[in-house]
Amino acid sequence: DAGVTQSPTHLIKTRGQQVTLRCSPKSGHDTVSWYQQALGQGPQFIFQYYEEEERQRGNFPDRFSGHQFPNYSSELNVNALLLGDSALYLCASSLDWTGVLDEQYFGPGTRLTVT
Amino acid sequence: QQQVKQSPQSLIVQKGGISIINCAYENTAFDYFPWYQQFPGKGPALLIAIRPDVSEKKEGRFTISFNKSAKQFSLHIMDSQPGDSATYFCAARDSNYQLIWGAGTKLIIKP
């Protein structure tokens, strides 16, 4: 059983460009959350998708948007990239959007570098 | 109030020793306190977790100690092994079911 997968592994973009990151959840999981992890920091919650809708959102600007597809996979889009957007972007999936019934399983992340 | 403060930032322990990582919080609404382990190039993985109605939880060599009145919790790794070398994060879940993470502790176990 494949766990959470993310693509691409690494990405280099220029300031002002747009980027799309992809995530496939663990088999059977219907909830996907996205996190930003800056170097030397803990992950920061961006948003969470359940039933193709954004259920929760952290303190991130509207430049960060997402989507969940009927097969539960998800995309994270970032527009007008800033140097400060350089980070590891983590996707996590779970069975339960509250996290009460089940833990979150994390993917290996996408390393985004903005130059 | 939404912060979780983690210390130390880095820790070096001899093989066989006890590794101790501490976290403190302010928000009394936090209701779930997990610890995650992250190896380079990997996403975080849940190691052990505790709820505030329990003062201690042990799983193998890993123990969480929880002090509700002091708003502190800690991870103890007994008989630390080189394979335990990783970055450890504490976290706390708020009333919106979001995890608030500490800044991480880089643990190195010297053989």
Side-chain angles (χ1 to χ4, degrees):
Chain A
D1 170 36
V4 180
T5 59
Q6 292 186 242
S7 63
T9 305
H10 295 89
L11 204 51
I12 300 174
K13 290 286 188 178
T14 305
R15 269 182 304 177
Q17 286 189 316
Q18 179 263 344
V19 68
T20 297
L21 311 181
R22 295 175 176 83
C23 170
S24 290
K26 182 177 167 63
S27 178
H29 284 185
D30 58 7
T31 300
V32 173
S33 301
W34 286 92
Y35 293 81
Q36 180 193 66
Q37 185 177 19
L39 202 60
Q41 299 293 319
Q44 300 273 328
F45 175 75
I46 302 175
F47 43 53
Q48 181 184 72
Y49 277 85
Y50 171 69
E51 291 187 340
E52 301 179 51
E53 288 190 10
E54 184 182 292
R55 294 285 171 164
Q56 296 278 345
R57 189 177 182 93
N59 189 25
F60 278 79
D62 291 344
R63 297 187 299 108
F64 290 77
S65 63
H67 188 78
Q68 186 178 36
F69 299 93
N71 66 353
Y72 308 125
S73 67
S74 176
E75 287 182 350
L76 164 65
N77 301 293
V78 187
N79 295 321
L81 284 167
L82 303 173
L83 294 179
D85 295 332
S86 295
L88 181 68
Y89 288 84
L90 294 164
C91 171
S93 74
S94 60
L95 268 175
D96 163 40
W97 73 271
T98 68
V100 172
L101 299 179
D102 189 38
E103 67 173 278
Q104 289 186 339
Y105 291 81
F106 284 82
T110 293
R111 172 71 63 188
L112 172 65
T113 302
V114 182
T115 61
Chain B
Q1 248 212 338
Q2 281 291 91
Q3 279 187 324
V4 176
K5 295 182 179 178
Q6 183 171 347
S7 63
Q9 195 171 24
S10 63
L11 182 62
I12 299 174
V13 175
Q14 289 292 131
K15 178 183 174 183
I18 302 173
S19 304
I20 301 174
I21 304 170
N22 301 297
C23 285
Y25 64 97
E26 288 295 325
N27 189 344
T28 55
F30 289 157
D31 67 349
Y32 173 72
F33 300 86
W35 284 89
Y36 284 83
Q37 180 188 57
Q38 186 175 26
F39 292 105
K42 302 285 188 183
L46 180 66
L47 192 60
I48 186 172
I50 197 168
R51 297 188 190 276
D53 54 347
V54 176
S55 60
E56 185 175 281
K57 183 174 181 180
K58 185 176 180 179
E59 289 184 2
R61 295 184 295 109
F62 301 92
T63 299
I64 299 179
S65 296
F66 188 84
N67 187 329
K68 190 173 180 178
S69 60
K71 289 185 255 181
Q72 294 175 349
F73 58 111
S74 59
L75 175 70
H76 296 233
I77 305 174
M78 313 299 287
D79 187 27
S80 299
Q81 299 297 311
D84 296 331
S85 297
T87 299
Y88 291 81
F89 293 95
C90 63
R93 188 174 66 194
D94 69 11
S95 54
N96 292 317
Y97 305 110
Q98 290 181 25
L99 286 179
I100 311 299
W101 296 65
T105 296
K106 185 172 183 179
L107 175 64
I108 297 172
I109 306 301
K110 284 191 143 184

